[in-house]
Amino acid sequence: DIQMTQSPSSLSASVGDRVTITCRASQSISSYLNWYQQKPGKAPKLLIYAASSLQGGVPSRFSGSASGTDFTLTISSLQPEDFATYYCQQSYSTPRTFGQGTKVEIK
Amino acid sequence: QVQLQESGPGLVKPSETLSLTCTVSGGSITNYFWTWIRQSPGKGLEWIGYIYNIGSTNYNPSLKSRVTILVDKSKNQFSLEMSSVTAADTAVYYCAREAKYDYGFEFDYWGQGTLVTVSS
């Protein structure tokens, strides 16, 4: 199985802050990497696909990038509705695997 | 707009079989990978498996011996059966649609999730 390691597991930030979350794959997955946002009691919502493409309807303050097996989700200016847990997920092979999540909390 | 809705018992006894159904509305159940994913505090998000092309399946090796995913095209539904459950199978179970594009795959539609507790 491909292991996905996210960091940090949680962070505290203020509205307007720039936030960066990192995900590392245990082997090459090309750009087969998606990012999801999950709010309490809700299903995950697709934000970024193919490492850096913004899903329709997602605000442009969200962006993704890749360098080898390292992937980054950036929120350029954190908004109140962005406080949630974020997951990376590889779609390179089965079994599909997710990172353990990064909880973004209000500072 | 595609919508998915899970249904099934919220409480299952240890050693029994967990059975869930996902009803798909707003779109056809063909041409996608219809997936079950679960989420527990201890193990995060775990991919259980999918069914596609009305019959081909792919399961997580860690669960393969206990899992069956079936599809009922006439009802636009797919289902999950997991046998010999234990407390470790307690989780929120999601059904989801995985779509394949030139650039990869993505879970683009999800059900709301249903909590299944394994307890006597």
Side-chain angles (χ1 to χ4, degrees):
Chain A
D1 299 4
I2 298 175
Q3 306 304 315
M4 307 300 296
T5 304
Q6 273 183 250
S7 61
S9 56
S10 66
L11 64 90
S12 295
S14 301
V15 173
D17 283 354
R18 182 181 182 89
V19 168
T20 298
I21 299 168
T22 298
C23 178
R24 174 169 289 174
S26 61
Q27 65 182 73
S28 175
I29 58 170
S30 186
S31 295
Y32 290 81
L33 188 284
N34 303 317
W35 289 98
Y36 299 84
Q37 176 194 66
Q38 186 179 34
K39 295 183 178 179
K42 300 293 187 182
K45 170 190 170 185
L46 180 65
L47 295 178
I48 301 280
Y49 61 89
S52 60
S53 297
L54 199 64
Q55 176 73 343
V58 175
S60 59
R61 62 180 178 273
F62 290 93
S63 64
S65 63
S67 177
T69 59
D70 291 338
F71 301 85
T72 300
L73 173 69
T74 299
I75 309 172
S76 60
S77 177
L78 198 65
Q79 298 302 301
E81 60 268 31
D82 301 336
F83 292 96
T85 301
Y86 294 85
Y87 295 92
C88 60
Q89 175 249 328
Q90 62 83 17
S91 66
Y92 182 81
S93 66
T94 60
R96 305 290 192 234
T97 48
F98 294 82
Q100 78 276 21
T102 296
K103 186 173 184 179
V104 177
E105 299 176 300
I106 301 172
K107 191 172 185 178
Chain B
Q1 176 78 348
V2 175
Q3 292 185 312
L4 288 77
Q5 177 69 58
E6 304 90 351
S7 59
L11 180 64
V12 182
K13 291 182 167 54
S15 80
E16 295 190 345
T17 296
L18 176 161
S19 296
L20 295 174
T21 297
C22 182
T23 301
V24 179
S25 58
S28 171
I29 203 163
T30 55
N31 299 324
Y32 294 98
F33 299 80
W34 300 98
T35 301
W36 288 98
I37 294 165
R38 68 181 182 180
Q39 185 172 33
S40 60
K43 294 195 73 175
L45 286 160
E46 182 178 26
W47 180 83
I48 299 171
Y50 62 57
I51 189 165
Y52 72 108
N53 284 348
I54 316 298
S56 299
T57 55
N58 189 336
Y59 301 132
N60 193 321
S62 67
L63 298 168
K64 186 174 184 177
S65 63
R66 299 193 293 128
V67 167
T68 303
I69 298 176
L70 300 170
V71 68
D72 185 336
K73 187 180 177 183
S74 66
K75 295 182 179 179
N76 238 35
Q77 294 177 334
F78 64 105
S79 62
L80 170 70
E81 293 188 347
M82 181 179 294
S83 63
S84 304
V85 298
T86 70
D89 296 310
T90 293
V92 174
Y93 286 75
Y94 293 101
C95 58
R97 188 182 87 169
E98 185 176 45
K100 180 182 185 302
Y101 298 98
D102 289 344
Y103 48 78
F105 301 80
E106 62 193 44
F107 297 116
D108 56 358
Y109 290 98
W110 297 66
Q112 65 186 25
T114 187
L115 174 63
V116 178
T117 301
V118 178
S119 175
S120 56

